Amino acid sequence: MIPRRLLVSIVLAGLALNGCGTTSTTLDVRYPEQGANSALLASAAPRRVQISPVVDRRIEPARVGSRPRGGGDLVTSRPVVEIVQDALSIEVSKNGHAVVSDRPDVVLKTVVEAFWLDAVDGYSSLQYVGKVVIALTVADGRTGETLLTRRYVGIKRREVDKPDERQWREVLDTALARTVHDLATDPDLVATLARVPTAVRHSIT
Amino acid sequence: MLAIVLLPLWGCASAPPPRPTARPFDDVRRISIVVAGESSLSVVEHKAEPGRTFDEIMAWYPTKVWMRPLAKLVHQGINWALGFDQTVTIARSVDGISPRTVVAAAMARRLRASGWFEEIRTLEREQSIEDRRRDDAVVRVMVPTWGLVRVRDGDPDLLAGFADVRAHMAQPGTGIVVWEGSEDVTSPEQFPVGAFMKDPDFARQEMVDVLERAGQRLASELMYARRAGR
């Protein structure tokens, strides 16, 4: 026979845990490697590029949005900094540059300022607005001198009839892809990479 | 045994279909960007009221099914009437702006900066067959809708400029489309609707900014697809 007080505690703890379990929805947001192309960034001669660990400066780092009508938090299955770091690595590699951890020609320092999904509640529809903002600093790999600072903003808007987890992920995926595509086709970034001298002839595979 | 044979086959069948192989167009050096189609300006607020209140009232009359579509029509009518004045005010602010021309010009600037193209012309109307022979490709740019859209619920709600744009690039001789893009472009800046209504110069600048952003987005996606499949 379980004492009444213990039983009440178990029920309350169960309710609390159940509440935690249902309040957040996990989204597997990612930058699709198979969709990445060799773009304008490939116009610069191959460089050794070090991507510093991405810094998270979002206002609400614990989540990427909330479900419509107070349905709980939206979170990503991997840390946002890891998602952005992977996206940059894929794009830089796809454009013929080597992602390295030592003797870099250039260092990319990235700050995530926003990674967020808004749901705008309408009468018979919902509108999702996904927004990804990253600030990029390009530094000389030898001197550390800042060569370029840029801010890339990717936004995706989509109207749907019903809340749908797949749509949330796709809206954030597209916002991230637009941010990265803007980076890969930025003439100023390409010109900066092209200007950086390479100290030694590297073999880039 | 049958299950063991079928499982791998089932796995193959449920795999996503292969992406179509994009055709690279990195041999295109001379292009004309031609504006096309009509543009419609609107203020899109996607409001939940008064429809939600009607629904609550309907809940008391479950047998009056015919009232439901009527309530939806009334909801749409009220919101259309409320949005009409706002659209007229915004339309006055952007008087004289051709959205397609602004988008095409911004797209051309971004493409020129890439250094990938020898010649980029922007045209207000379709060119003659003779003129077309000068180009490796013709890009047609359309802005079917643009205006303001509600992007965040709150008190007050926040709106941003938007432009839904489309473009396709075709070979002038054959008419074969080598690239097409469709972009919903939204301004990163968000303001209460009053900010746009009270200050025409501010509203005008916001709308021009979002149209230029749309042109840059189209250019980015065109450049991104240029060597796809290589």
Side-chain angles (χ1 to χ4, degrees), chain A residues 67-81:
Chain A
R67 291 172 62 113
R69 293 153 204 170
D73 289 346
L74 298 176
V75 297
T76 50
S77 54
R78 295 183 301 147
V80 164
V81 288

Side-chain angles (χ1 to χ4, degrees), chain A residues 14-125:
Chain A
L15 280 172
L17 287 172
N18 185 44
C20 292
T22 54
T23 52
S24 67
T25 305
T26 305
L27 306 176
D28 185 21
V29 180
R30 60 181 60 238
Y31 184 65
E33 187 163 9
Q34 68 275 17
N37 294 337
S38 166
L40 193 63
L41 202 53
S43 303
R47 295 288 187 256
R48 290 171 64 84
V49 180
Q50 183 179 341
I51 302 172
S52 295
V54 173
V55 176
D56 197 343
R57 289 218 187 112
R58 292 175 295 144
I59 295 166
E60 293 189 66
R63 57 184 188 144
V64 294
S66 50
R67 291 172 62 113
R69 293 153 204 170
D73 289 346
L74 298 176
V75 297
T76 50
S77 54
R78 295 183 301 147
V80 164
V81 288
E82 201 177 294
I83 295 167
V84 173
Q85 184 102 17
D86 284 357
L88 292 174
S89 295
I90 289 167
E91 202 56 41
V92 167
S93 306
K94 200 78 181 180
N95 280 277
H97 305 287
V99 177
V100 298
S101 54
D102 65 335
R103 294 182 297 121
D105 297 320
V106 290
V107 179
L108 302 185
K109 298 172 187 173
T110 313
V111 173
V112 184
E113 294 180 357
F115 205 103
W116 189 258
L117 183 80
D118 265 320
V120 179
D121 199 6
Y123 173 47
S124 55
S125 66

Side-chain angles (χ1 to χ4, degrees), chain A residues 117-194:
Chain A
L117 183 80
D118 265 320
V120 179
D121 199 6
Y123 173 47
S124 55
S125 66
L126 281 161
Q127 181 173 252
Y128 296 123
V129 183
K131 184 175 179 181
V132 174
V133 182
I134 61 170
L136 181 81
T137 302
V138 183
D140 188 304
R142 278 168 293 278
T143 64
E145 179 197 357
T146 297
L147 304 171
L148 181 76
T149 55
R150 305 290 280 171
R151 195 162 176 267
Y152 301 100
V153 182
I155 301 175
K156 171 68 187 170
R157 193 167 25 88
R158 181 180 288 178
E159 195 182 336
V160 299
D161 293 334
K162 289 177 188 166
D164 176 350
E165 203 172 305
R166 185 178 57 84
Q167 305 268 9
W168 299 331
R169 182 181 51 75
E170 283 179 3
V171 167
L172 277 175
D173 278 354
T174 308
L176 174 64
R178 287 180 175 179
T179 311
V180 176
H181 290 188
D182 283 354
L183 179 150
T185 56
D186 180 354
D188 293 336
L189 177 61
V190 174
T192 304
L193 277 188

Side-chain angles (χ1 to χ4, degrees), chain B:
Chain B
M1 178 66 93
L2 182 66
I4 292 168
V5 172
L6 284 177
L7 268 174
L9 290 174
W10 180 80
C12 291
S14 64
R19 291 167 64 88
T21 309
R23 183 192 177 284
F25 48 90
D26 47 6
D27 52 341
V28 170
R29 308 289 295 168
R30 287 184 302 273
I31 61 171
S32 285
I33 301 175
V34 187
V35 300
E38 296 299 318
S39 299
S40 162
L41 180 84
S42 58
V43 178
V44 187
E45 293 212 63
H46 294 293
K47 286 195 170 169
E49 292 298 342
R52 287 274 163 79
T53 307
F54 290 157
D55 282 353
E56 282 167 20
I57 296 166
M58 295 293 111
W60 292 94
Y61 303 97
T63 53
K64 311 271 191 215
V65 182
W66 58 271
M67 286 170 73
R68 210 161 277 281
L70 184 67
K72 194 172 180 179
L73 275 176
V74 174
H75 166 84
Q76 286 170 346
I78 290 172
N79 277 302
W80 178 85
L82 288 172
F84 182 76
D85 283 348
Q86 294 175 340
T87 305
V88 168
T89 307
I90 292 295
R92 268 191 232 116
S93 306
V94 296
D95 192 30
I97 293 176
S98 163
R100 293 159 293 173
T101 306
V102 177
V103 171
M107 186 182 187
R109 276 196 300 276
R110 185 68 181 246
L111 292 176
R112 276 191 202 104
S114 73
W116 265 350
F117 301 94
E118 284 170 17
E119 188 180 344
I120 299 169
R121 297 184 298 155
T122 51
L123 303 168
E124 287 292 323
R125 59 182 65 84
E126 288 289 337
Q127 53 197 336
S128 67
I129 295 169
E130 203 58 38
D131 265 355
R132 278 183 214 171
R133 292 208 180 107
R134 292 175 48 174
D135 300 316
D136 298 325
V138 177
V139 180
R140 288 187 179 79
V141 171
M142 289 147 276
V143 186
T145 50
W146 65 307
L148 295 174
V149 63
R150 186 161 66 107
V151 290
R152 182 165 284 191
D153 284 337
D155 187 18
D157 293 334
L158 297 179
L159 280 76
F162 82 94
D164 291 338
V165 294
R166 289 205 303 265
H168 61 82
M169 185 161 80
Q171 292 173 338
T174 60
I176 293 171
V177 174
V178 291
W179 171 81
E180 55 187 332
S182 174
E183 296 286 317
D184 55 279
V185 179
T186 315
S187 170
E189 311 298 335
Q190 307 169 355
F191 302 96
V193 70
F196 297 100
M197 298 300 142
K198 286 176 191 159
D199 188 344
D201 291 340
F202 169 75
R204 187 181 180 87
Q205 191 55 53
E206 281 297 309
M207 296 313 298
V208 170
D209 287 349
V210 79
L211 291 170
E212 289 184 339
R213 183 176 165 80
Q216 289 162 7
R217 273 267 68 248
L218 284 174
S220 282
E221 292 304 331
L222 186 148
M223 289 192 282
Y224 199 78
R226 185 170 175 257
R227 299 175 71 185
R230 283 257 192 266

